[in-house]
Amino acid sequence: MERKMKECLDACLACISACNHCLDACLEEEHAAMMKACIRLDRDCADLCGMAIQMMTRNSPFVKEFMLLCAQACDLCAEECAKHDHDHCQACAEACRACSRACMAMAV
Amino acid sequence: MERKMKECLDACLACISACNHCLDACLEEEHAAMMKACIRLDRDCADLCGMAIQMMTRNSPFVKEFMLLCAQACDLCAEECAKHDHDHCQACAEACRACSRACMAMAV
Amino acid sequence: MERKMKECLDACLACISACNHCLDACLEEEHAAMMKACIRLDRDCADLCGMAIQMMTRNSPFVKEFMLLCAQACDLCAEECAKHDHDHCQACAEACRACSRACMAMAV
Amino acid sequence: MERKMKECLDACLACISACNHCLDACLEEEHAAMMKACIRLDRDCADLCGMAIQMMTRNSPFVKEFMLLCAQACDLCAEECAKHDHDHCQACAEACRACSRACMAMAV
């Protein structure tokens, strides 16, 4: 497997992990109502990254378009998470940004 | 739920069913080697339709772009299936075409 | 396709739809903190029902065990949703119960 | 995150990668008809491992039962792949066995 794909697979796995942890932790925050956008984007991002892993490793003809969509989801999720001071949000923003870069590298 | 979405959910379910049945039946065909493209597209199409159901019902911000990608997968799968005389391929081509139309209606 | 499977596919689709709608609506409720368990179970239930659709239509060797697990998730989600008076929770509880019965019918 | 879960996430990712590569390569083999069982189990195993990643990182109440089911799929896939001399089958068998062990460790 080429290095670029290996890096993207690892970035997707880290992103799923960060998004799902962030979602779970957001539900426990005192002001859960403020975390709605974060929760929704965490879920979309985790699910799209999960499917991205499948699309890359099966060499799908749709992989480039899918990675582009996945990168967009990562960007939006990173943007939202970055607004919140919680450690889990900041960690998620970072994982999303790294994943977006790796997905973009696969999309070209 | 609006009628357009209900129709698309039903079309996606019918498409998943037709694609997975076609994939399974292709593996049993005498000339399975000729069915490779069909098998691969059946799988992608079934998986994308499955995720489309999730994206629509959770009102994701990525739903329009996802439905567009799903429609493209349906079109490609329909095109490939239409080349083969097997009943399961013809039935799958039809389900994919109907699903593509329904996805496009959700994408605009 | 046998009638029992067709009914289960429709029940799974209805359950995904009800769970994802309930999850989304719970996030908008005034007391979102009270809806945490509901939100988590809605998500698990929607995702397991989505995979159940794939497992049934591809005739997986794991289908019976998977349907059993899916039925358990539907039961737990129904139980939690039934505790809340919101229309979306009550509707979700009903969809989950119907789906659980249909999954059990496929599991035997 | 505890070490046991980190190891299982990595094992699931490696297993998805090996299964999807094996599936794709099996379709290209001269005797694709002999590879039917392998192709079907590769797909189930890759999809279940993908969902296992989600279930673990979101701390689902169904995680133990899901990991048990995932381990069974890995075992069956390893058993089938081990019968074939192709490098991709042998590599897949090894990845499945490692993943099965890691899933079992999460299931107890």
Side-chain angles (χ1 to χ4, degrees), chain C residues 8-101:
Chain C
C8 192
L9 291 172
D10 288 336
C12 283
L13 179 57
C15 193
I16 293 170
S17 184
C19 284
N20 278 337
H21 176 63
C22 183
L23 190 161
D24 207 55
C26 282
L27 288 172
E28 301 295 337
E29 293 294 341
E30 212 177 333
H31 303 294
M34 286 178 58
M35 310 311 293
K36 285 185 295 189
C38 201
I39 288 169
R40 288 189 176 105
L41 288 166
D42 281 340
R43 187 186 181 198
D44 274 347
C45 196
D47 287 358
L48 287 165
C49 286
M51 192 152 192
I53 290 174
Q54 299 286 346
M55 299 302 256
M56 279 186 277
T57 53
R58 72 166 91 158
N59 200 16
S60 161
F62 307 105
V63 72
K64 292 199 178 194
E65 271 161 308
F66 197 89
M67 300 318 286
L68 206 61
L69 181 57
C70 195
Q72 288 171 12
C74 290
D75 285 342
L76 232 67
C77 192
E79 210 179 304
E80 177 62 32
C81 283
K83 293 180 195 165
H84 308 286
D85 283 338
H86 311 300
D87 284 350
H88 54 82
C89 289
Q90 292 295 319
C92 189
E94 201 174 326
C96 287
R97 273 187 225 110
C99 191
S100 170
R101 280 192 300 270

Side-chain angles (χ1 to χ4, degrees), chain A residues 40-41 43-45 47-48 51 54-55 58-62 65-66 69 72-74 76-77, chain B residues 40-41 43-45 47-48 51 54-55 58-62 65-66 69 72-74 76-77:
Chain A
R40 287 188 177 108
L41 288 166
R43 188 187 180 197
D44 274 347
C45 197
D47 287 358
L48 286 165
M51 191 151 190
Q54 299 286 346
M55 299 303 256
R58 71 167 92 158
N59 200 15
S60 161
F62 307 105
E65 273 160 308
F66 197 89
L69 181 56
Q72 289 171 12
C74 290
L76 232 67
C77 192
Chain B
R40 288 189 176 106
L41 288 166
R43 188 186 179 196
D44 274 347
C45 197
D47 287 358
L48 287 165
M51 191 150 190
Q54 299 286 346
M55 299 303 256
R58 72 167 91 157
N59 200 17
S60 162
F62 307 105
E65 272 161 307
F66 197 89
L69 181 57
Q72 289 171 13
C74 290
L76 232 67
C77 192

Side-chain angles (χ1 to χ4, degrees), chain D residues 10 15 33 35 44 47 56 62-63 71:
Chain D
D10 288 336
C15 193
M35 311 310 294
D44 274 348
D47 287 358
M56 279 187 276
F62 307 105
V63 72

Side-chain angles (χ1 to χ4, degrees), chain B residues 5-108:
Chain B
M5 193 198 287
K6 179 70 177 72
E7 284 174 0
C8 192
L9 291 173
D10 288 336
C12 283
L13 179 58
C15 193
I16 292 170
S17 184
C19 284
N20 278 336
H21 176 63
C22 183
L23 190 161
D24 206 55
C26 281
L27 288 173
E28 300 296 336
E29 293 295 340
E30 213 177 333
H31 303 293
M34 286 178 57
M35 310 312 292
K36 285 186 295 189
C38 201
I39 288 169
R40 288 189 176 106
L41 288 166
D42 281 340
R43 188 186 179 196
D44 274 347
C45 197
D47 287 358
L48 287 165
C49 286
M51 191 150 190
I53 289 174
Q54 299 286 346
M55 299 303 256
M56 280 187 275
T57 53
R58 72 167 91 157
N59 200 17
S60 162
F62 307 105
V63 73
K64 290 199 179 195
E65 272 161 307
F66 197 89
M67 300 318 286
L68 206 61
L69 181 57
C70 195
Q72 289 171 13
C74 290
D75 285 342
L76 232 67
C77 192
E79 210 179 304
E80 176 63 31
C81 281
K83 292 179 195 166
H84 307 286
D85 284 336
H86 310 301
D87 285 350
H88 54 83
C89 289
Q90 292 295 318
C92 189
E94 201 174 326
C96 286
R97 273 187 226 110
C99 191
S100 171
R101 282 192 300 270
C103 290
M104 285 306 293
M106 290 298 295
V108 291

